[in-house]
Amino acid sequence: MRSPDDSDLIDRKEACRRLDVKPATLYAYVSRGKVRRVRTPQGSRYLAADVDRFAQRSAARKGH
């Protein structure tokens, strides 16, 4: 996998907003390998593609 570009990454607040979850739930998704985290000089960032893919799956399960 290539190194993610800054435009491929989002911060924790945005990841939680897109997933409609609390930070603890985001942490659980990361620990289970559902969402990849990248450590940057600005702090942890999350791959937007992973977050969006997981959000779509979650919405589909909820029937949205």
Side-chain angles (χ1 to χ4, degrees):
M1 183 177 122
R2 68 175 178 82
S3 293
D5 189 282
D6 282 345
S7 64
D8 298 333
L9 304 174
I10 56 176
D11 64 12
R12 183 183 70 186
K13 184 176 179 180
E14 179 62 15
C16 288
R17 186 193 68 75
R18 290 185 189 189
L19 291 166
D20 192 27
V21 298
K22 295 178 182 180
T25 304
L26 175 61
Y27 175 79
Y29 293 164
V30 170
S31 68
R32 293 179 187 140
K34 306 286 185 186
V35 175
R36 288 174 284 180
R37 178 178 62 190
V38 177
R39 295 179 193 266
T40 69
Q42 297 80 25
S44 292
R45 298 290 186 260
Y46 303 88
L47 283 160
D50 288 356
V51 170
D52 292 340
R53 183 172 34 255
F54 199 66
Q56 288 174 350
R57 287 181 185 168
S58 294
R61 280 194 300 276
K62 292 178 184 176
H64 296 303

